[in-house]
Each structure stands twice: as structure tokens, then as C-alpha cells.
């Protein structure tokens, strides 16, 4: 029996090496059968009255807004399930494209690994800027704060061994990879649009980052075409069954609370494999560094969330990368210097779960 | 001599057919050697004071903004000069991607024709939303007006034979292919960013649409890496040498005026080949239909502009498509139903000018 397990383990390692090597050493070519973009979901508002094309006013005109914008690429001989990539707060599709230091991001890495890829700008963000609500956008001086919140370091110092390039141009690209909300962030609007995407494209794997974590669970509850979720550093929107919400968790950046939903809704999340990845420099005990303390409670909440789902029969894995001996990751493991290693972990997981 | 010319003409036609056939019947595969995205240009604002990472305020923090966002793809065995695509007013990179009715846009068509392609979101538009100026964005009921301004028809009627799908989903996608300015449109800011792109990537062909026409000329004046301009329906920003600005042109939508610049600047535009394309339903005489009358004066101004440049030794061609027997084109010839035919015209032009 022990021998059989050992044999299976060796087989797995070989498989993993093969998968991994495919990703790393694949020729530099990308062979696409199709690519393009579309808007999906959204609403149409109609202004009362009658439109006169020879004397136009706003009367009788329409406004299409609150859709998501999606850029997709389908490789030759693609795998069965494509991957939908959903950015975090302040970010847009760029987060999955070229990394701040100019290497391939998950969009291209997983394309080369033969997955169809769909990269989203959620409603009211980036190219999906046609918002149905009015909004005033002020440039705010926030970059040194974000350097800390995104756990690159404690400004102006980088964390020792952090997986982020010291080239100043990398930081320039990083700061320019943000774009504001155009109109309030609205969970219902963003999940409706992403659910509409899954209805349009059929079964797929959802990959979320940070703020998209919570809306990601809600999308999976809304739409059974979400066949698995890979969530990088989900930070909020942890949903729990009524009566099982954990105590609020105070931190240096505020108090994190779970969200109560009916158990029947919650249990839809037990039907699909879900994996969460967290990077480095997340302490276990309170600290006065806001960026680190912020993620302390979010990781702690995520662990409780995993436990509650799994108690209800779910299939949630939480990987805190340093526990695997993988150090230095920031809030963006998928674009960090070791993002091929992180992609390999994700490929292994998808393979284990029969999702590739 | 006449025979030689005839022979050369036949040779040209054969070449054109070959080029054209390449574009149309090329396999469905797209073979890329590289793709990715980056921010380029822009400014950095610094808030006075000192940043304390343990007690963060806005003091001492920075704001990176007003860059362009660029998504690029380089095909295998790419041609020498890549193409930079620059959207028009209210539009973003999507304008060059999938057409409203779901076919390939110029991004993919010219990629298949072996050009490297760079697709821009100009500063303060789409994914380049990190604007250095505050702005209030209101959803405005404008779609039936734009249906007319973009010369699809006179709402609710389509122009007879218009090259736009009658499928309602095409109109839905079309209206959702718009996104607002985040902060005022500023010619200097957008041309600085696009010029920075040409500095980064080296010599390339610039393709502009509508509002980008004028900034396109200014970019070419700023940066000698702009080796040619293909401009679809430029509508404003026509620059003339001091003393040669034509009289203002009143129309149903306002008065169009030329812009005076020093002759030394102007004459930089005589050094590169430039072609302008205009679609159908642009009348010669005043009309009460605002969309048509708007383009009447813009086409008229473009013709004067062509004549002035060519008088100064320039190399400007203006194609009014109906004069070639190509009918029904809207303000977006590159995404109209006959966009392969339009791409063929552009390929022929680039070939004639030795730009491919």
C-alpha cells in the first residue's frame, strides 16, 4: 500500500514536471485560433420623450451602461474549460497582462498552456467606463500607501527578499496599472455582468484577485457555469451561512466583517473546487504596519471561511505560500517575480481537480 | 511607353490581388511571437510633506497619471514597421478590436497580415483612466444622436445600403463600445503620450480615427518615428501654416475652424505619406440632418488641408470612398461590414508607399 502511494506520488511529480515544463519552455510562439472583445451584461436606461433627429435633445434617447468589457483569446487546440480573469480594487485587465517588470502575466502564460483566456474590466472600471451613475473622480495621492497595502514593503523600504523588481520603471508601471472607479462599486452590478459572461461562454474557471474575491463567490452562487474558483488574496466579501458568521476582526485599517447569506445559497459554494493563495509578510499577531495588519485579519477570516465551507461538505484549499517554502510574494503573486512558480502551482491544482 | 505603363499597371493589380488574397484567405491561425501591455508617457505629481508609513496621510505621496495605455501584439516574421492604432472621441481600444457585429477588426486583420499592432487608450480614456485632473462624469442620453453623427442613419432609420448590421445586438455592442473622458481632453497631453510611445517603439505607421486625426498630425510633427499616417474620417484639428488658414465653415452642428501653426512645423507633415479615408452619406450641400451636415464641412476642410500640404510639397491622398464605388460606409469604415475591403485599400496604399 505504502509502495503504491509512493508510486502514485512519483507519477504525480512526473506529471507536474511535465505540466510545468510545458509552461516554462514552450516555444515563444502563441498560436491563436481566435481573439476579440465584447461588452456583456449591463442595463439600458431610456429618457422619456420623443427623439427628433433634426432637432436633437436628450428626449427619447437611450444610455447603455454598467456592462463588463472582455478581451478574449482562444489558442489552437484549447483545453475544455477556459479561464476568466477578474482584477481587484483599483486595477483592471492589465493586472493579468504584462507584469510591472515587463514579463508575461497570467493572460499569456495560461494561453501558452492552452487555456482560452477571458480578461475582464468589471462594470465602471477601465474600458467598461460607461457608468449609469454620476461620479466625481479626484486624483488622490495614494501610491506610498498602496506600496504598503500591497505588501511590497514599508515605504521607502522593500521587504527583504520581496518578489518585486527594484528597477524604478517597474514601480512606474505598477502605479500606472491602476484606474479609478467610475461610479460606486456595486457588488450586484459587477456580479450580474460577470454572471452574464459565464452564461455567454459556458462552463469556465474563474480566477479572482483581491476585491473580486467576494463578488467571485456571489457569481458562482448565481451561475453554475463557474466550475472552479482560484482566488488570489481575497480580502473581503467572505460570505457565511446565517448564524455562522464569525466575530468581527479589528485591525490597524478597520474592522473586517463576514457577510451573512442563507445557508441554501452558501452551500452552492460547496459544489465546486476553490483554492485561495496568500503571499508573504502577513503576520499572525497585530502589528503597527497598516499594510501587514490589514492582511493579518483577511487571511485569518479566509481560514475560518475555508473551515466553514468544508464543514458543509465543500472543497476549499487555502495556500499560504510561505508554508510551502515560497517566500517574498506580495498582494499580486500572479505578477510577482516568481509568477511562473505560482502559475505552476495553479496548473497543478487544476490538473489534480480534473479541470484541465 | 504606354505599353510599359500598362504592364506596370497589370503587375500592380496582380500584386494587389496577392496582398488582398493574403488578407482574406489567410488561415484562421494567428501566430504571435510576443504580446503584452504597458503604460507610456504621463506625469508624476508629488504632494508636499513627508510620508509616514505607520500613520499614513496624503502628505509626501505621489500620483502617476496622464499616461497612455497600450496593448501590443507582434506576429511571427513581422513586417518592418508596426502599426499604432489610435481611437476617436468617446471611443477606446475596442474600436480596432472585434466589430459591433462580431467580426475581426483591424487589430486582428493587420496582425494576420504580419504587422506588429499597438492599440492605444489615450490618456484619460478607458484603461488609461488615472487622470491628474478632477472630473465629474455624468451619464448622458446621447445614443440616438450618435447614431446620426456616426452616419448609420437618421434615427430610427438606417441609411439604405449602410455597411452596418441590422442585428440589434450589433447596435448594443456599438453603444457599449464607448467610454467617457476622465478629465478634460487635452491635445498636448495625448500627443505627448503617443509621441512617447513612438520614441519607445521606434519607426511605425500611425492609424487614427476621427478626434485622433488632429492630434495625429501634431504627434507626427513632434516625433519623426511617425513614418506615415492613415487617418479615418479626421474631423477636427486641421493645422495650416500661418496666413493660410481657410475661412471658418459653419454647419448645422457648429462652425469648424482650421488651426494656425508656424510654417516650419507644418512642413514637417510634408515629409511623410498621409492618407485620409471618408465614408458615405456626406453631402456636398448644406442639409438639415445634423450628422450629415457635420461631416459635410469636415470633409470640405480636409480637402483644403490636403491641397495646402501638397502645395508645400507634401504627399497627402484623400479618398472619398463613394468615388471609388464603395458605398454605405459610416464614420467607422474600419469596422463596417466591408472592413476587409477597406483593409485591402489600406494594405495597397502601404504597399505602394513601400511601408510594408
Amino acid at each position: 500500500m505504502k509502495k503504491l502511494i509512493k508510486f502514485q506520488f512519483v507519477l504525480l511529480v512526473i506529471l507536474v514536471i511535465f505540466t510545468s515544463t510545458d509552461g516554462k519552455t514552450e516555444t515563444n510562439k502563441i498560436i491563436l485560433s481566435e481573439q476579440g472583445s465584447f461588452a456583456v451584461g449591463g442595463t439600458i436606461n431610456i429618457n422619456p420623450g420623443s427623439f427628433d433627429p433634426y432637432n436633437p435633445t436628450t428626449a427619447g434617447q437611450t444610455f447603455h451602461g454598467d456592462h463588463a468589457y472582455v478581451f478574449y483569446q482562444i489558442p489552437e487546440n484549447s483545453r475544455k474549460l477556459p479561464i476568466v480573469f477578474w482584477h481587484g480594487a483599483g486595477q483592471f485587465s492589465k493586472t493579468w497582462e504584462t507584469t510591472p517588470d515587463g514579463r508575461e502575466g497570467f493572460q499569456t502564460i495560461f494561453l501558452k498552456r492552452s487555456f482560452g483566456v477571458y480578461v475582464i474590466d468589471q462594470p465602471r472600471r477601465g474600458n467598461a467606463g460607461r457608468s449609469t451613475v454620476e461620479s466625481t473622480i479626484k486624483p488622490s495621492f495614494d501610491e506610498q500607501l498602496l506600496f504598503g497595502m500591497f505588501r511590497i514593503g514599508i515605504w521607502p523600504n522593500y521587504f527583504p527578499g520581496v518578489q518585486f523588481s527594484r528597477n524604478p520603471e517597474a514601480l512606474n508601471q505598477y502605479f500606472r496599472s491602476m484606474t479609478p472607479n467610475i461610479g460606486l462599486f456595486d457588488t450586484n452590478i459587477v456580479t450580474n455582468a460577470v454572471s452574464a459572461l459565464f452564461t455567454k461562454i459556458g462552463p469556465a474557471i474563474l480566477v479572482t484577485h483581491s476585491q473580486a474575491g467576494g463578488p467571485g463567490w456571489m457569481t458562482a452562487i448565481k451561475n453554475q457555469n463557474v466550475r472552479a474558483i482560484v482566488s488570489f488574496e481575497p480580502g473581503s466579501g467572505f460570505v457565511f451561512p446565517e448564524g455562522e458568521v464569525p466575530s468581527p476582526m479589528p485591525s490597524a485599517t478597520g474592522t473586517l466583517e463576514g457577510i451573512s447569506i442563507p445557508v441554501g445559497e452558501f452551500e452552492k459554494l460547496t459544489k465546486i473546487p476553490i483554492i485561495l493563495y496568500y503571499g508573504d509578510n502577513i503576520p499572525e499577531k497585530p502589528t503597527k504596519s497598516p499594510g501587514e495588519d490589514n492582511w493579518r485579519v483577511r487571511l485569518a477570516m479566509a481560514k475560518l471561511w475555508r473551515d466553514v465551507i468544508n464543514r458543509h461538505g465543500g472543497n476549499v484549499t487555502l495556500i499560504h505560500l510561505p508554508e510551502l517554502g515560497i517566500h517574498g510574494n506580495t498582494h499580486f503573486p500572479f505578477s510577482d517575480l516568481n509568477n511562473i512558480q505560482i502559475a505552476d502551482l495553479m496548473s497543478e491544482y487544476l490538473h489534480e481537480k480534473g479541470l484541465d
Side-chain angles (χ1 to χ4, degrees), chain A residues 27-144:
Chain A
T27 65
N28 283 323
K29 284 185 217 169
I30 303 161
I31 305 179
L32 299 177
S33 64
E34 196 188 337
Q35 71 172 8
S37 65
F38 54 83
V40 67
T43 55
I44 305 172
N45 290 339
I46 303 173
N47 204 23
S50 171
F51 179 72
D52 176 0
Y54 295 101
N55 187 18
T57 66
T58 60
Q61 294 206 62
T62 56
F63 182 91
H64 290 60
D66 289 350
H67 46 266
Y69 160 85
V70 181
F71 186 76
Y72 72 95
Q73 298 182 295
I74 311 298
E76 206 182 32
N77 305 316
S78 63
R79 296 173 195 263
K80 199 179 161 198
L81 294 179
I83 302 178
V84 173
F85 288 102
W86 191 352
H87 58 77
Q91 314 294 316
F92 59 99
S93 45
K94 175 90 182 73
T95 211
W96 309 106
E97 297 167 1
T98 302
T99 65
D101 54 293
R103 294 169 301 106
E104 286 174 355
F106 269 29
Q107 176 190 42
T108 299
I109 290 171
F110 281 90
L111 194 56
K112 285 190 171 177
R113 294 183 183 189
S114 300
F115 288 92
V117 295
Y118 291 78
V119 182
I120 296 175
D121 285 350
Q122 76 190 15
R124 306 182 179 174
R125 186 79 58 79
N127 284 337
R130 204 162 161 86
S131 164
T132 61
V133 294
E134 182 175 331
S135 149
T136 294
I137 297 165
K138 295 183 191 195
S140 71
F141 293 100
D142 58 5
E143 294 169 349
Q144 285 62 32

